[in-house]
Amino acid sequence: MHKWLTVALLAVLGLLQYQLWLGNGGWEDLQLVEERVAVQEAANVPMRERNARLAAEVTDLKTGLDAIEERARSDMGMVRSDEQFFWVPGVAIEAELVGINAGLVTQPNLSSEDTDE
């Protein structure tokens, strides 16, 4: 009787060990999940950097005018009133931006002698 109890307990222990090492949710599955996590973490690094840049840009847009001015210059082709806009032939520019900038470009201050003619 003692011998059969020992054999039964060893069989149960073996079954539990099998479940631990090779069964569903066991050691092998843990290793596969850890590998997938490592791959996903590596893929997330550029996304985290991009999110940090975007968060800094949002903060800058909320607090400062420099980012707004930079966006207006690069995206919309805007110039300030104390600047001169020069169009360089051969450089592609969208027709819409030319129309926007044409209203902003002013002639240099003319003296009253020049305007009387």
Side-chain angles (χ1 to χ4, degrees):
M1 169 99 170
H2 228 348
K3 187 176 184 181
W4 292 108
L5 182 62
T6 306
V7 170
L9 288 176
L10 285 176
V12 169
L13 181 64
L15 181 63
L16 290 175
Q17 288 294 315
Y18 174 79
Q19 284 292 97
L20 174 66
W21 295 103
L22 304 173
N24 188 18
W27 187 258
E28 284 184 14
D29 287 346
L30 177 65
Q31 295 300 320
L32 291 174
V33 168
E34 286 178 350
E35 288 175 17
R36 287 189 357 219
V37 166
V39 168
Q40 189 62 47
E41 285 291 332
N44 287 347
V45 169
M47 299 297 178
R48 285 193 180 113
E49 292 172 356
R50 181 188 62 114
N51 288 345
R53 284 192 309 270
L54 289 174
E57 186 174 347
V58 166
T59 302
D60 193 31
L61 285 171
K62 287 182 178 179
T63 59
L65 297 177
D66 293 337
I68 295 171
E69 182 179 346
E70 180 183 338
R71 280 287 182 122
R73 288 174 176 274
S74 65
D75 295 348
M76 298 171 52
M78 298 181 85
V79 294
R80 290 191 302 218
S81 59
D82 62 340
E83 295 177 333
Q84 292 183 359
F85 176 77
F86 293 97
W87 178 64
V88 180
V91 175
I93 186 169
E94 295 178 21
E96 159 184 328
L97 293 179
V98 172
I100 291 171
N101 289 329
L104 298 175
V105 176
T106 58
Q107 295 292 328
N109 292 336
L110 299 175
S111 64
S112 59
E113 298 170 354
D114 293 337
T115 57
D116 290 339
E117 295 178 10

